[in-house]
Amino acid sequence: MAHIREVARKKAPNGIAYEVHWREGAKKMQKTFIVRREAERFALKVETVKDSGETTKPLVKSAQTFRAVSDDLMAASTRLKPGTVAQYRNLLDKKILPRFGALKVSTITPADVEAWIADLVKDGLAPNTIHNHYVLLNKTFRYAARHRLIAYNPAEGVELPKNERSEGFAPVFLTATQIERLATALPQPYDTLIRFAAFTGLRAAEIAGLRVRDVNFAAGHIEVRQTRKRIHGEWTSGTPKSRRSTREVPVMSRKLTAELRALKVAHPRSSDPDALFWPGTNLTTRLLDYDRTLDVGRA
C-alpha cells in the first residue's frame, strides 16, 4: 500500500514536499515530489504495478535523458515516412531538445511542461505550431512510460493555447472567373497548372509527384499514387499522407482534359509511364526541364 506524507523542505514551494512511501518486499521505498498531484499520481502508479505482481523498481529512477529517449523513439518509429521524420527532427532540434534534452526524463514534471508551453506562447509561436511541438513531446513521454522509464506522463492534461479565429473570419476561395483570370495571365504550362490545382484539389506534393501513368484519360480521372517532397535539400518520392489520400480524382472540365491531353502529347517522355507529368524549371536558364521536379513554391 503506497501512502503520502507531507514533509518540510526549504526548496519546495511553501516549504512543503510530499513523500510517497511503499514496500518492495521487505524493503522500504520512497520518492519525493514538490507537487501533491504528482505524488498522488505516482502512488496510484505504484499500486497498479504492485497489483500486477511486477517490481516497482523501474518507477523509482531512470538515468536516461530526454534526448536519449527521443532518439530511441525515432529509431523505433520505422513506419514513419521520411517527410514526417524530417519534420519531427526539426521540431526536436528547434524547441524541444534545447529545453528538455539534457534532463533526465524521470525528473521532468507537469510544471516544467507548462512553463515550456508558456514560453512558446511568449516567443510568438502560433497555437497550431505549439500543438505540433506538444504532440511530439507527448509522444516521447508516452514512449518512456510504455518502457517503464517514468511513472506517469508529465505532458498529459497540459492546457494548450486555443487556435482562435478573428471575429468574422472566413476562408477565402477564388471564384471560377478569378481562377480563369489568373490562369490566362500565365504562360503554358502554368495556366493549365493553375486550372488543374484549382479543380482537382491535389496537394502541392501530389501535383509534383504526378506521373504520366497517373493521368488516366480512359477512366477520366487522376490517380493520386505518389508524392514528391524536398527533404534536406533533396527531392524524395513517397506516398500520400494516408490511405484515404490514395485516390482517384475525376477531371470534370472538358477544357482541362483537352489541355492535359495536349501537354501529354508535347511531353518529350510521354512514352515513359514513370516520367513526371509536370516539368520543373532550370533555375539558370528559366526554361522548362522535364528531368526536374516541379517546385510549386518557385514555379
Side-chain angles (χ1 to χ4, degrees), residues 189 263 266-269 275-280 288-293:
L263 288 179
H267 197 302
R269 295 171 57 192
L276 294 175
F277 185 84
W278 298 102
L288 298 180
D289 189 339
Y290 284 85
D291 290 324
R292 292 177 180 267
T293 301

Side-chain angles (χ1 to χ4, degrees), residues 1 13 38 76 110 125 134 136 149 169 196 228 245 295 299:
M1 184 78 174
E38 295 172 24
L125 269 67
Y134 169 80
L136 182 53
L149 302 175
F169 173 84
F196 180 84
R228 291 279 287 173
S245 297
D295 190 339

Side-chain angles (χ1 to χ4, degrees), residues 21 54 77 80 84 101 153 192 194 197 209 261 273 278 298:
H21 294 263
E54 299 181 35
S77 303
L80 292 180
T84 303
N153 179 353
T192 300
I194 291 296
R261 284 184 184 276
W278 298 102
R298 294 180 177 177

Side-chain angles (χ1 to χ4, degrees), residues 88-100:
Y88 279 3
R89 288 293 182 192
N90 184 53
L91 294 174
L92 284 166
D93 292 342
K94 282 190 173 181
K95 294 293 184 181
I96 299 177
L97 292 181
R99 184 65 164 262
F100 299 110

